[in-house]
Amino acid sequence: AQSVAQPEDQVNVAEGNPLTVKCTYSVSGNPYLFWYVQYPNRGLQFLLKYITGDNLVKGSYGFEAEFNKSQTSFHLKKPSALVSDSALYFCAVRHNAGNNRKLIWGLGTSLAVNP
Amino acid sequence: SQTIHQWPATLVQPVGSPLSLECTVEGTSNPNLYWYRQAAGRGLQLLFYSVGIGQISSEVPQNLSASRPQDRQFILSSKKLLLSDSGFYLCAWRGGTDNNYGYTFGSGTRLTVV
């Protein structure tokens, strides 16, 4: 069965330090992978995706993620965290074959960037 | 441009009252549409999805129903709300001509059943 795991409920990082939010997935075949961010009482916003090609994907707001097929991971990273990055982050995966129309979501990781 | 509208932003309803939340998409045709519920500010629960007018798939049996009367309109309803229906409801779409492969979300509706 397809699944996504975000092993950390919360990540705390000091402003200016690098941040990593972890995501691992389980899907048969080649995955489509996504990261979304949610600010309080708002809808989710798309950050970046991996479909094919370069394993390092760059997205919005200075975020990037690295697709690692052997480790089935897609960790979100940013070289220097900002207080405004504090939000809830979701990883999602979609199988790239057939008529699969649904994303499988992780439970989310709350990122707190401390000034 | 492609946009998604969801309203109302907040709603307080008494137990046993009906519910109607509306979602519309602009700038695309034949979108796949989704209703999610988010409880306690964390995980997303897929409630319904639709691939076309009148076509609704239910993911979780519950006190809610969905309808798609027009191509770009998706409605979430209930005849009698329960306390457990409280939560943050999100509409999303994945368009047929969209290269994103992912979803675009509406701004959400905070429903409190009292």
Side-chain angles (χ1 to χ4, degrees), chain A residues 27-69:
Chain A
V27 65
S28 58
N30 295 320
Y32 291 171
L33 294 156
F34 306 84
W35 275 102
Y36 288 79
V37 60
Q38 185 183 30
Y39 297 98
N41 292 311
R42 303 294 297 274
L44 278 69
Q45 298 177 33
F46 170 78
L47 277 179
L48 50 80
K49 68 179 185 289
Y50 171 82
I51 304 298
T52 187
D54 194 346
N55 289 345
L56 184 63
V57 178
K58 294 188 182 297
S60 306
Y61 312 120
F63 284 93
E64 58 188 28
E66 186 168 11
F67 171 61
N68 187 318
K69 188 171 184 178

Side-chain angles (χ1 to χ4, degrees), chain A residues 9 32 34 36 38 41-44 46 49 51 88 90 94 100-103 105 107-110, chain B residues 32 34 36 38 41-44 46 49 51 59 88 90 94 99-103 105-107 110:
Chain A
D9 284 345
Y32 291 171
F34 306 84
Y36 288 79
Q38 185 183 30
N41 292 311
R42 303 294 297 274
L44 278 69
F46 170 78
K49 68 179 185 289
I51 304 298
L88 188 57
F90 288 95
R94 185 170 80 90
N100 191 317
R101 301 176 179 91
K102 296 180 287 185
L103 290 179
W105 296 88
L107 293 180
T109 297
S110 180
Chain B
N32 291 342
Y34 306 82
Y36 282 90
Q38 188 179 26
R42 294 308 292 263
L44 298 171
L46 179 62
Y49 72 92
V51 301
E59 290 292 303
F88 193 53
L90 291 160
R94 186 175 75 85
N99 285 327
N100 194 24
Y101 297 97
Y103 294 179
F105 284 83
S107 55
R110 172 73 59 190

